[in-house]
Every structure is written in C-alpha cells, then in structure tokens.
Amino acid sequence: MHERDTEVLEQILSILKNHPEIEKIEVDEEPMVSLPGLEIFPSRRKVFRDRQEIQLTAKEYRILLLLAANKGRVLTYAQIYEQVWGDFTTGNENNTIGFHICNLREKLY
C-alpha cells in the first residue's frame, strides 16, 4: 500500500469510528472451485452448471471434486478408487468408476 493510500484509509476509519450508527456489513466469501460453466461449492456440497444446481450422489460429487482438483492430470482407475472410496483396489473397480463417470457426464453435459 502506498503512503497516500494508508493516509486515506486511516481517515476513513477515523470517520467511521465517530459514527457508531453506521452498520458494519461483512461479506462472507465462500470458497468455490470454478471451471468453464461449472461452479463447485465444497462447503455446501453444491454444484452448479450454468447457474442451475446439479444433483449428484455422494460418490459422483467426490469424483468430480477429485477430477477438478487434478485438472489437466490423467488419473488411473486405481487412483480414483483409492481417493474416493478410501480403499485399495482389487482389480474389479473399473466398471464401478466408469458407471459413476458416465452418470456425471450425463448430469453435467
């Protein structure tokens, strides 16, 4: 901050202190993951596509968050399974993950 900016800010704060009738309003910013046309609000577990809420199952939501967090990376079925299901793979998970990703595509696009 420049010296002049600091002075102006101090003047504003001084004026505000002298006027207790002025109501303090804070904007609570919510963290969001944003992709083109898609907004994910982790604190509310909500997903919006072009400003319309998309209903996802818990697994679909966790897969979407994982993919969004790893945008531009290729994840294996094993990596997805271990992160979303919290278990080690046994080799039969490809169909399960494929099913959930197929559902995600339908709901999002």
Side-chain angles (χ1 to χ4, degrees), residues 9-93:
L9 181 60
E10 287 175 3
Q11 288 175 353
I12 292 170
L13 291 175
S14 173
I15 292 169
L16 291 175
K17 285 179 186 174
N18 293 326
H19 295 280
E21 73 278 4
I22 296 176
E23 184 180 338
K24 179 180 175 184
I25 299 174
E26 291 185 23
V27 176
D28 188 23
E29 292 210 20
E30 180 179 13
M32 172 188 60
V33 177
S34 180
L35 300 168
L38 191 66
E39 296 174 332
I40 306 168
F41 294 89
S43 63
R44 294 188 287 157
R45 202 190 157 279
K46 299 220 180 242
V47 177
F48 294 86
R49 174 81 181 165
D50 298 326
R51 302 198 185 269
Q52 289 199 329
E53 186 174 356
I54 306 296
Q55 298 296 319
L56 300 177
T57 66
K59 295 297 184 203
E60 291 166 351
Y61 178 77
R62 292 198 57 204
I63 290 170
L64 179 62
L65 270 185
L66 178 65
L67 295 176
N70 288 282
K71 181 181 169 192
R73 294 185 185 155
V74 176
L75 299 175
T76 65
Y77 283 105
Q79 289 171 317
I80 294 170
Y81 190 82
E82 289 171 10
Q83 288 294 314
V84 173
W85 276 264
D87 199 5
F88 293 105
T89 59
T90 59
N92 299 323
E93 296 79 16

